[in-house]
Amino acid sequence: MKVVKFGGSSVANAQQFQKVAHIVTSDEARKFVVVSAPGKRCKDDTKMTDLLITLAKKVMEDELYEGVLAQVVARYDEIVTDLHLSRDILDVISANLQQMIDTYRDQPERLLDALKASGEDNNAKLMAHYFRQLGYEAHYVNPKDAGIFVTDEPGNAQILPESYDQLARLNERSGILVIPGFFGYSRSGHIVTFPRGGSDITGSIVAAGVGAELYENFTDVDSIYCVNPSIVEHPCQLKELTYREMRELSYAGFSVFHDEALEPVYRRGIPVCVKNTNNPEAPGTMIVATRDHRERPVAGIASDTGFCSINVSKYLMNREIGFGRRLLQILEDEGISYEHTPSGIDNMSVILREEQLAGDIERRVLERIVKELRVDEVSIERDLALIMVVGEGMERSVGIAAKATAAFARANVNIEMINQGSSEVSMMFGVKADAVERAVRALYDVYF
Ligand code: ASP
């Protein structure tokens, strides 16, 4: 039994629905179908989710929202019309959206989550209709009925462990089951969404819950590439990656698969295959527990901008028990999460996403560091990019770091920071953001 998830571009219009139906019905094992909301139909199009966020904001700010609401319904109308589905469903969709607006008008977070979730919810209903019209037994399954229960953190839901037992019962049901991605229900019965791109998470949870033999994640590329194709033209396609490699790469900028989506399948050892809806014959990329990495120790290079580093130094810091904890406590008090903490004997840097220091936070953090830790110096270095070189084979290969540093030198890129986790599955380099593309190309040349 397989779980198949289709991303936004795979369900953006009627033509894409037809491709999805063909893919699902061409393999009997494809029983569980998880769908995103309609994505972009062309480059300048707006994703349904973004449209719904605009709608929610208009309602919250007491602005005229009817125009946006009409745009939302029009996107479903286009699909319904082109697939010759019964138009009744459009009335249901309109009434349902209006009801959400009326119910949650004074509860902004609930309104936002309910409207965001409706993007996938209505699309799943349409998809189930379409399968039935084609003559297949198919059912829309609401996440509450499926048993997807989550923490009550709007926009940032996390799955509750009891969900998995409930999901296992879906195996008893007949037909193709179409489940909307991106949201679950809190214990108190509220709709709560996962972080953006979270339909991948739903697919993974369902795959884990039903004990799927494979989780197929359909998107719009033939495979995962070893490096961002907008930086390196026609980079190598990856046939296989391990869960750990994928996790590191998606954390550091590979957006093809949500970085939180791996956990449920990883725990149960369910393999994932990332495939192309527009070219389903292409084998795609398998994500598995182990791979033979003798030929290629480095699996991929990821990069992301928007980081900064808080650098502190204090003479004899290494002797001061609890220094690191107190520094990180200041960040915790401000609700700031950090990425890395490279350190020396008398200095420590904390790398974090720059946006977290917005407004007054930066001043408060710096003042507290000076006052409470009595440091000799503290500074913030901005406009940093992180580059991750990722690969299971790096652990046993000599000279991987040497190749990187030589490549940086040749490309005239100054390394601001190096960090290698104890797992040796990745190596992190911090460089100035304006040098990142040059640096990534130089790395690509030496490793691939
Ligand atoms: N529609 C949601 C988003 O755009 C979730 C998803 O597509 O995975 O973030």
Side-chain angles (χ1 to χ4, degrees):
M1 207 74 75
K2 296 175 186 169
V3 171
V4 272
K5 180 257 164 180
F6 293 92
S9 61
S10 302
V11 288
N13 59 23
Q15 202 190 3
Q16 294 301 85
F17 266 56
Q18 284 161 343
K19 290 181 194 168
V20 168
H22 180 72
I23 290 168
V24 172
T25 56
S26 66
D27 181 351
E28 268 188 15
R30 291 178 175 143
K31 179 179 166 67
F32 302 97
V33 180
V34 174
V35 293
S36 278
K40 292 185 179 193
R41 291 160 292 189
C42 56
K43 203 164 154 267
D44 299 323
D45 200 9
T46 308
K47 282 178 162 195
M48 175 63 90
T49 310
D50 292 318
L51 209 52
L52 289 160
I53 292 172
T54 308
L55 173 62
K57 286 194 178 140
K58 291 229 179 260
V59 176
M60 288 175 210
E61 279 155 25
D62 247 341
E63 289 177 20
L64 286 179
Y65 62 81
E66 286 75 6
V68 187
L69 180 59
Q71 278 182 52
V72 170
V73 179
R75 285 223 47 189
Y76 293 118
D77 192 338
E78 186 191 295
I79 297 172
V80 165
T81 307
D82 292 349
L83 292 177
H84 310 290
L85 299 176
S86 150
R87 301 191 64 76
D88 299 350
I89 190 164
L90 292 172
D91 296 332
V92 178
I93 292 175
S94 297
N96 180 258
L97 289 168
Q98 190 60 56
Q99 193 202 348
M100 280 175 182
I101 292 171
D102 296 340
T103 313
Y104 295 121
R105 196 182 277 276
D106 299 321
Q107 301 173 62
E109 284 191 324
R110 297 283 179 223
L111 176 73
L112 184 61
D113 260 13
L115 286 178
K116 270 156 72 186
S118 75
E120 344 293 282
D121 200 45
N122 289 321
N123 224 24
K125 287 177 185 161
L126 286 191
M127 187 63 79
H129 263 274
Y130 182 49
F131 280 124
R132 285 198 292 274
Q133 177 171 286
L134 293 175
Y136 295 92
E137 181 189 348
H139 308 277
Y140 154 81
V141 185
N142 181 271
K144 196 191 265 175
D145 301 329
I148 302 178
F149 293 106
V150 297
T151 54
D152 199 357
E153 299 165 76
N156 195 29
Q158 300 200 37
I159 193 73
L160 294 174
E162 63 258 34
S163 302
Y164 293 108
D165 289 340
Q166 300 241 29
L167 279 161
R169 294 203 205 122
L170 288 179
N171 283 311
E172 292 154 22
R173 297 187 55 172
S174 61
I176 300 168
L177 304 183
V178 187
I179 305 165
F182 195 34
F183 70 100
Y185 283 80
S186 67
R187 281 203 184 95
S188 51
H190 288 109
I191 290 174
V192 194
T193 62
F194 293 117
R196 286 300 301 269
S199 295
D200 283 347
I201 304 177
T202 305
S204 180
I205 289 167
V206 174
V210 301
E213 72 194 70
L214 180 67
Y215 170 29
E216 291 178 309
N217 194 288
F218 280 86
T219 168
D220 51 10
V221 285
D222 275 355
S223 76
I224 297 177
Y225 297 104
C226 65
V227 67
N228 186 343
S230 66
I231 299 181
V232 174
E233 249 181 79
H234 308 301
C236 321
Q237 301 189 352
L238 298 172
K239 277 201 211 97
E240 233 177 20
L241 277 174
T242 67
Y243 297 116
R244 289 204 305 173
E245 288 169 338
M246 187 70 237
R247 154 83 182 114
E248 300 261 355
L249 289 169
S250 48
Y251 155 78
F254 274 36
S255 56
V256 69
F257 196 64
H258 197 289
D259 70 337
E260 283 178 41
L262 271 179
E263 211 250 1
V265 278
Y266 159 73
R267 298 237 170 262
R268 285 159 183 82
I270 296 168
V272 181
C273 188
V274 175
K275 283 178 79 79
N276 190 353
T277 303
N278 306 314
N279 184 18
E281 264 63 58
T285 303
M286 288 295 294
I287 306 170
V288 290
T290 53
R291 71 172 175 98
D292 182 354
H293 44 69
R294 276 168 301 187
E295 252 178 51
R296 193 169 276 175
V298 171
I301 306 160
S303 57
D304 206 0
T305 52
F307 294 94
C308 68
S309 165
I310 302 179
N311 305 323
V312 294
S313 59
K314 183 174 185 182
Y315 197 68
L316 291 182
M317 182 193 287
N318 66 320
R319 301 273 298 271
E320 199 175 317
I321 293 172
F323 184 93
R325 181 186 50 73
R326 280 183 284 134
L327 175 60
L328 296 178
Q329 184 67 52
I330 293 173
L331 299 180
E332 187 179 334
D333 292 346
E334 292 288 346
I336 292 173
S337 71
Y338 66 92
E339 314 293 322
H340 302 273
T341 53
S343 60
I345 49 168
D346 285 346
N347 49 61
M348 188 168 163
S349 299
V350 186
I351 300 173
L352 41 103
R353 291 218 171 253
E354 214 157 18
E355 72 214 4
Q356 297 187 96
L357 292 183
D360 214 23
I361 300 178
E362 174 175 333
R363 187 190 51 78
R364 275 205 306 272
V365 166
L366 293 184
E367 268 177 21
R368 281 191 64 187
I369 292 175
V370 171
K371 207 163 122 218
E372 294 170 30
L373 303 178
R374 300 181 181 283
V375 295
D376 296 333
E377 255 176 72
V378 56
S379 63
I380 295 194
E381 198 175 343
R382 298 190 166 278
D383 297 323
L384 289 179
L386 297 188
I387 300 174
M388 302 280 277
V389 176
V390 176
E392 295 269 3
M394 285 169 26
E395 199 175 0
R396 281 192 195 80
S397 311
V398 176
I400 300 279
K403 274 190 180 173
T405 47
F408 285 140
R410 268 198 303 277
N412 195 23
V413 174
N414 186 33
I415 304 172
E416 308 285 326
M417 215 159 322
I418 302 182
N419 196 13
Q420 177 162 29
S422 53
S423 76
E424 287 207 42
V425 73
S426 70
M427 227 173 343
M428 184 279 279
F429 297 93
V431 301
K432 283 282 182 203
D434 57 10
V436 66
E437 299 206 350
R438 203 162 78 235
V440 168
R441 278 189 216 110
L443 288 175
Y444 180 80
D445 286 344
V446 290
Y447 293 129
F448 296 96

